[in-house]
Every structure is written in C-alpha cells, then in structure tokens.
Amino acid sequence: MSQIIRRLGVAPCYRGSAGGATCPDLFELADGNFAVIGTDATDSLESQLPEDAARADYERIVVITRETLIKAKADIPDA
C-alpha cells in the first residue's frame, strides 16, 4: 500500500469542522494516486451510475463536499 505524501487543499479545521479533524479530505499518495475521506454513498448512488460506469466489489462511492474539492483545486496537478 502506498503512503500519504501530502494533503490537497486545507485541513478540515480551516473549513469549519466542529471537531477540527473529522471531515472530508483529499490526499496525494506516493504512487501518484489519491485517497479520499468522505461519506460512503454507495447504496444510494450505485443505481444512478451511467451505463458505462461500474464499481468493483472492493470499491465504494464516496461523497465529499463541494468546498473540499474547490479548496483542493489549486493543489491538484495538471498532469
């Protein structure tokens, strides 16, 4: 398994997290992939996937807030 090398965007405490740390988050991994902390919405969204999208048994559909992604935008590499 890869290691987290950096957060994309700002820490949850700077986005209004009441607990200071438990909120959606995005991380870049050493292997170039990304890790997401979000709300598991697989059960409610899987039936709405387009015909050309599918999920493996080991995958989950995760929802993050719009603010989380917007705050991370500047940190997401173009290539």
Side-chain angles (χ1 to χ4, degrees), residues 24-66:
D25 226 332
L26 296 167
F27 301 95
E28 185 172 1
L29 304 178
D31 65 4
N33 288 318
F34 298 91
V36 178
I37 297 173
T39 302
D40 184 350
T42 304
D43 292 342
S44 62
L45 294 177
E46 187 167 30
S47 65
Q48 298 178 47
L49 290 173
E51 286 186 24
D52 61 350
R55 162 188 91 72
D57 288 342
Y58 57 86
E59 296 174 324
R60 307 301 290 167
I61 300 171
V62 178
V63 175
I64 61 171
T65 64
R66 179 179 181 84

Side-chain angles (χ1 to χ4, degrees), residues 7 10-25:
R7 169 183 277 118
V10 298
C13 62
Y14 298 112
R15 289 185 273 115
S17 170
T22 57
C23 272
D25 226 332

